Amino acid sequence: DGGITQSPKYLFRKEGQNVTLSCEQNLNHDAMYWYRQDPGQGLRLIYYSQIVNDFQKGDIAEGYSVSREKKESFPLTVTSAQKNPTAFYLCASIDRASGNTIYFGEGSWLTVV
Amino acid sequence: GNSVTQMEGPVTLSEEAFLTINCTYTATGYPSLFWYVQYPGEGLQLLLKATKADDKGSNKGFEATYRKETTSFHLEKGSVQVSDSAVYFCALKGGNAGNMLTFGGGTRLMVKP
């Protein structure tokens, strides 16, 4: 079945370490997004990519990096520069052919210990 | 820029009570409006959507009407169930912001038996 797969679902990180969250989609969607969710703050856009080999900063890009070398993959790296990385991270993609329907992954919980 | 404001939670209701979660938005152009639901431990799921003024989105007994005159998209359900307990997010996309999704802060609903 087609969909968006995020991994890992749960991740613990020591302070000062970089970690990479995986996001893979087999839906043939061009546009992909990373959101961060904090309690009481809803979802905030970190980075987005409208096409392979291109990506743009969202509202809270500091301390994060992404790549888009393949259409199917949009990994997010949480760097040591991110001061408060503990959060729930959601990856999404858009199907323009169906009127821009947005599909979400199941999310990844990152906890800094 | 675009923004979405929804009522703060938590909203606590008894089973079979009537539910309203308010959502208002600010946007340029003609955005599409969405309600997403997040069940405990899961990612976001699209609940319903409306793409133009006066459209009514509906799904699983939930309804919301796109009111351009009041810039609102309130979520309603006539009789809630315990299984409806979740966090509900109002969102908009489009207008002058293209494919960017803008989310409200989320409203937690708790339904007691």
Side-chain angles (χ1 to χ4, degrees):
Chain A
D1 288 346
I4 300 179
T5 302
Q6 288 186 236
S7 63
K9 189 165 185 175
Y10 300 97
L11 183 62
F12 295 88
R13 188 195 92 173
K14 293 182 179 179
E15 285 192 26
Q17 285 184 336
N18 292 353
V19 293
T20 297
L21 307 180
S22 169
C23 178
E24 303 280 330
Q25 53 101 356
N26 60 2
L27 302 167
N28 200 35
H29 294 170
D30 286 316
M32 297 185 73
Y33 304 79
W34 273 105
Y35 288 90
R36 169 182 170 141
Q37 184 180 17
D38 294 282
Q41 296 192 45
L43 291 167
R44 293 180 290 169
L45 181 65
I46 305 172
Y47 267 98
Y48 63 100
S49 168
Q50 302 281 35
I51 198 167
V52 174
N53 292 323
D54 182 64
F55 50 83
Q56 304 295 330
K57 292 182 178 180
D59 299 324
I60 54 165
E62 185 176 353
Y64 298 97
S65 66
V66 293
S67 63
R68 189 81 188 279
E69 297 176 1
K70 299 185 299 181
K71 189 175 188 178
E72 303 79 19
S73 179
F74 191 41
L76 173 74
T77 297
V78 185
T79 75
S80 57
Q82 169 50 238
K83 299 305 179 188
N84 186 24
T86 296
F88 185 60
Y89 292 86
L90 277 168
C91 180
S93 68
I94 282 184
D95 177 18
R96 296 201 177 103
S98 68
N100 290 329
T101 300
I102 295 172
Y103 293 77
F104 284 91
E106 292 192 347
S108 295
W109 289 96
L110 173 62
T111 303
V112 173
V113 297
Chain B
N2 294 342
S3 67
V4 177
T5 303
Q6 56 183 113
M7 60 190 293
E8 292 187 13
V11 173
T12 303
L13 295 173
S14 298
E15 211 165 19
E16 299 184 3
F18 184 86
L19 168 71
T20 300
I21 300 178
N22 289 339
C23 171
T24 56
Y25 67 90
T26 302
T28 52
Y30 300 93
S32 296
L33 301 174
F34 305 82
W35 277 101
Y36 285 87
V37 58
Q38 185 178 29
Y39 297 104
E42 299 183 13
L44 286 180
Q45 301 174 30
L46 177 64
L47 181 60
L48 53 85
K49 67 179 182 181
T51 57
K52 61 182 187 298
D54 299 325
D55 270 2
K56 177 185 284 188
S58 61
N59 185 26
K60 299 180 180 180
F62 291 89
E63 292 184 340
T65 302
Y66 189 159
R67 301 286 188 199
K68 192 166 178 63
E69 65 276 14
T70 54
T71 61
S72 64
F73 194 53
H74 304 323
L75 182 68
E76 297 181 336
K77 186 174 185 181
S79 176
V80 293
Q81 306 299 313
V82 173
S83 58
D84 294 325
S85 298
V87 181
Y88 293 81
F89 291 91
C90 185
L92 69 83
K93 180 170 64 67
N96 290 355
N99 282 330
M100 294 302 103
L101 258 185
T102 301
F103 286 87
T107 303
R108 181 175 297 279
L109 170 66
M110 295 189 292
V111 180
K112 297 183 176 180

